[in-house]
Amino acid sequence: MYNFLETRFQPIKELLEKSGILPPKLTDSVEETQAVTEARNALTAAQNSLEENQKNLREHRADLEKDYGPSSIFRPLKDKCISKDSGEYTYEHCFLDKTRQNSKKGGASVTMGRFERMGRVEVDEVDAGNNNEIVRVGRTTLEYSNGQVCWNGPPRSTRVVLECGEEDEIVRVMEDERCVYSMVARTPVVCEESASSTSSTSGSGPKPVEEGEESEKKDSPKDEL
Ligand code: MAN
């Protein structure tokens, strides 16, 4: 009897379900599945957005904790990279991040150091505005260490000596010792400090070995900038 009624009324029941008069069957319910899918999608989207926000929060926190130097002078150089061709390589300096040596002949690209700290060195400089007198000047350095290890040698490291200039640019690249590099880079952000760091004492500081680049003699730094 039950079976008879069930079979008899099944088409009517289905019709009523389809037209929404009766609630849909739980097993193959289109409406409910859609609602659940939407809810699940909303949950996934919210989770993704939460993760993204948490990642942003971590990055902003790390950025705030990062040392950008006195008065955060290096902050404008965040994520900035400059490069220079020299010999068979293009050298790259990403401020407060890393230095790289990229082969121009399809060879490997190697890290010449990751940012470790800021430092200070004294260098001799020709003062063109003062009868080419040799003056001893203090320079801020950015020190990069623990780069790719050289064959039978140390991990590569780079000292970037900064001087005042209108543009961010690498002026020279040297390999002072095997896998120990130095660069002279210009940037406007150190102009204020260079204006007050020149002393007139003469002397001779260590001269780096150059890689087929021009001599140590250079234009007078634009300290007035
Ligand atoms: C590569 C370059 C050089 C370095 C040698 C050391 O050729 O990174 O600068 O001196 O490796 O083997």
Side-chain angles (χ1 to χ4, degrees):
M1 180 69 176
Y2 177 81
N3 280 350
F4 167 75
L5 285 175
E6 175 86 3
T7 324
R8 193 72 195 274
F9 288 108
Q10 187 61 29
I12 303 171
K13 192 169 169 253
E14 276 173 13
L15 192 71
L16 291 175
E17 279 170 2
K18 251 188 212 154
S19 55
I21 296 169
L22 278 182
K25 266 199 287 179
L26 272 182
T27 42
D28 56 354
S29 141
V30 174
E31 287 297 311
E32 193 165 328
T33 303
Q34 224 167 28
V36 170
T37 308
E38 276 165 21
R40 194 175 292 112
N41 288 347
L43 174 67
T44 310
Q47 273 170 338
N48 288 345
S49 143
L50 176 66
E51 271 166 31
E52 184 67 23
N53 281 336
Q54 280 170 334
K55 185 171 153 260
N56 286 342
L57 180 66
R58 276 196 302 276
E59 283 170 5
H60 288 308
R61 275 217 179 103
D63 184 52
L64 271 177
E65 277 160 20
K66 186 166 170 154
D67 181 9
Y68 284 102
S71 314
S72 286
I73 57 165
F74 291 113
R75 184 170 276 282
L77 297 176
K78 179 169 137 50
D79 299 330
K80 169 127 202 185
C81 297
I82 48 180
S83 60
K84 182 174 177 61
D85 275 11
S86 182
E88 56 184 294
Y89 302 104
T90 300
Y91 290 89
E92 201 181 344
H93 172 219
C94 296
F95 285 90
L96 305 191
D97 182 15
K98 59 177 179 284
T99 52
R100 286 188 81 78
Q101 183 189 53
N102 303 310
S103 167
K104 287 197 273 185
K105 296 175 181 164
S109 163
V110 300
T111 305
M112 296 155 62
R114 301 191 178 281
F115 182 65
E116 188 192 339
R117 61 182 176 87
M118 288 159 210
R120 196 87 190 144
V121 285
E122 290 209 325
V123 295
D124 288 336
E125 201 170 78
V126 177
D127 187 357
N130 193 12
N131 277 338
N132 287 342
E133 196 187 320
I134 304 282
V135 288
R136 194 107 173 118
V137 291
R139 291 275 182 255
T140 295
T141 62
L142 301 176
E143 311 279 344
Y144 299 81
S145 58
N146 268 318
Q148 197 161 319
V149 177
C150 271
W151 175 253
N152 265 342
R156 288 174 175 81
S157 63
T158 314
R159 163 173 288 171
V160 180
V161 181
L162 298 174
E163 59 180 48
C164 166
E166 278 178 57
E167 304 286 334
D168 297 321
E169 58 177 335
I170 297 174
V171 187
R172 283 189 303 281
V173 183
M174 294 139 280
E175 189 165 350
D176 302 333
E177 286 168 41
R178 194 167 154 270
C179 303
V180 179
Y181 307 85
S182 62
M183 290 183 187
V184 176
R186 288 189 183 146
T187 174
V189 305
V190 295
C191 289
E192 222 163 276
E193 59 153 39
S194 0
S196 54
S197 68
T198 309
S199 83
S200 57
T201 335
S202 57
S204 56
K207 288 245 169 26
V209 182
E210 302 214 353
E211 275 190 342
E213 291 286 317
E214 71 265 39
S215 76
E216 251 301 272
K217 189 161 75 65
K218 52 181 176 250
D219 305 338
S220 78
K222 299 179 179 63
D223 286 350
E224 73 277 7
L225 285 177

